[in-house]
Amino acid sequence: NALIEARDVTLAFGETPALRGAGLAVAAGEIVAVMGPSGSGKSTLLHCLAGILSPDTGEVHFDGCRIDTLSEPERSALRRERFGFVFQFGQLVPELTAEENVALPLLLNGTRRAAALAEARPWFARLGLDGMERRRSGELSGGQAQRVALARGLVARPQVLFADEPTGALDSLTGEQVMDLLVGSARDQGTTVVLVTHEARVAAYADREVVVRDGRATSLTGDRIAS
Ligand code: ADP
Ligand code: ADP
C-alpha cells in the first residue's frame, strides 16, 4: 500500500493538456525519480501529488486520505506539516540569513524562534555548510544555496520530500554532492522522496524510475505497488 498515490489524473492548463490519465504510487521510505522530456507533465504530476494543484479528474491520496478534494487552506496545512520542498533554483528568501531560511518551515509551524534556530543549526555541519549560518542567499554559491534549500526541505522531518529538478541549476559535480546529501539525509530520517529530473545521472540515485510521456506515467523498473 502506497503512502502517496495519484490515480488516473488529468489536468489541463486552459486548452493545454498537461496530464492525461497519469498514475503513480509511492511507498513509504521509497525514493522515486520521475523522468521524461521537457513539457511531458513531470512538474504538474509532482504538484498534484504535493497538493499544490488539484487535478481536473482522478484522485490523489496521501496516508490513507484523499487530498485532491480538500480546500486550499487544508491542502496548505498539509503541505506545511507533512511535506518538504526543494526546487531548481533554491528559492531562498533573500532577506533572511541561511539559518533563518532553514528554520522557516519550523517557524511557520509555530515553533519558537530560538528552538527553530537550534534545530536548524546542526544541518550546517551535516551538509558541509559550517560558517555559512549568517550569510544571505546572495553570499552563497549555487551549490551552497541548494544545500541550504535542502536543509530547509528536510528540517521539519516531512513524511515526503518533493524535489523538482534540485540539481538543474548546478554543474554535475556539485549536483552529485547535493544528491548524495539529499538521498543520505532522506534515508536517515525515513523521508519518502519524489524527485523530478531529466538527468539519468540524478535519477540513478532513486530506488525506482518512472517515465512521464505526454501526460502519462510508466514505471521503468517495475511497480512494487499495484496502482
Ligand atoms: P515538465 O515538468 O515535464 O517539463 P510541466 O508539467 O511543467 O512539464 O508541463 C506540462 C505541460 O503543461 C506543458 O505543455 C506546459 O507548457 C504546460 N504548463 C505547465 N504549467 C503551466 C501553466 N502554469 N500554465 C500553462 N501551461 C502550463
Ligand atoms: P517549476 O517546476 O516549473 O520550476 P517552481 O519550482 O517555480 O516550478 O514552483 C512551482 C509552483 O509551486 C509555483 O507556483 C510555486 O509558487 C509553488 N510552490 C513553491 N514552493 C511551494 C511550497 N513550499 N508550498 C506550496 N507551493 C509552493
Side-chain angles (χ1 to χ4, degrees):
N1 45 7
L3 177 64
I4 189 154
E5 179 172 8
R7 292 184 196 156
D8 200 16
V9 162
T10 70
L11 190 151
F13 295 100
E15 301 288 286
T16 309
L19 295 176
R20 325 172 186 229
L24 173 59
V26 181
E30 203 179 16
I31 297 180
V32 171
V34 179
M35 301 197 59
S38 180
S40 59
K42 303 183 295 296
S43 288
T44 305
L45 180 58
L46 179 141
H47 294 155
C48 286
L49 287 167
I52 294 170
L53 291 172
S54 277
D56 300 329
T57 66
E59 298 183 3
V60 182
H61 294 253
F62 167 70
D63 206 7
C65 297
R66 186 164 174 187
I67 63 166
D68 58 289
T69 47
L70 297 175
S71 67
E72 171 53 30
E74 288 170 323
R75 283 187 284 123
S76 167
L78 179 75
R79 294 195 298 266
R80 211 172 54 233
E81 291 164 13
R82 310 287 203 96
F83 298 160
F85 294 89
V86 188
F87 292 100
Q88 180 169 3
F89 301 105
Q91 299 180 351
L92 300 178
V93 181
E95 293 79 11
L96 300 181
T97 63
E99 63 182 2
E100 288 168 340
N101 267 285
V102 175
L104 202 52
L106 300 168
L107 295 168
L108 293 174
N109 281 333
T111 306
R112 298 173 66 159
R113 181 179 166 86
L117 289 173
E119 276 196 63
R121 275 186 200 116
W123 283 95
F124 286 80
R126 205 172 289 156
L127 301 189
L129 291 165
D130 277 314
M132 302 292 137
E133 291 85 346
R134 300 296 165 85
R135 294 208 188 177
R136 285 168 214 276
S137 51
E139 302 165 327
L140 297 170
S141 71
Q144 288 167 343
Q146 201 60 337
R147 279 178 279 158
V148 172
L150 174 59
R152 182 181 58 183
L154 289 169
V155 73
R157 301 187 166 272
Q159 280 176 271
V160 186
L161 178 71
F162 292 97
D164 195 347
E165 300 279 9
T167 63
L170 306 176
D171 64 59
S172 58
L173 180 62
T174 313
E176 282 174 31
Q177 289 166 349
V178 166
M179 283 308 301
D180 281 329
L181 293 166
L182 188 157
V183 168
S185 304
R187 292 218 195 276
D188 276 353
Q189 56 182 42
T191 300
T192 302
V193 178
V194 181
L195 164 72
V196 164
T197 182
H198 64 274
E199 295 176 81
R201 260 219 305 226
V202 172
Y205 284 84
D207 299 322
R208 179 158 66 94
E209 296 175 23
V210 169
V211 176
V212 178
R213 280 212 179 77
D214 295 328
R216 289 187 193 90
T218 315
S219 189
L220 268 191
T221 35
D223 261 301
R224 281 175 219 165
I225 327 161
S227 61

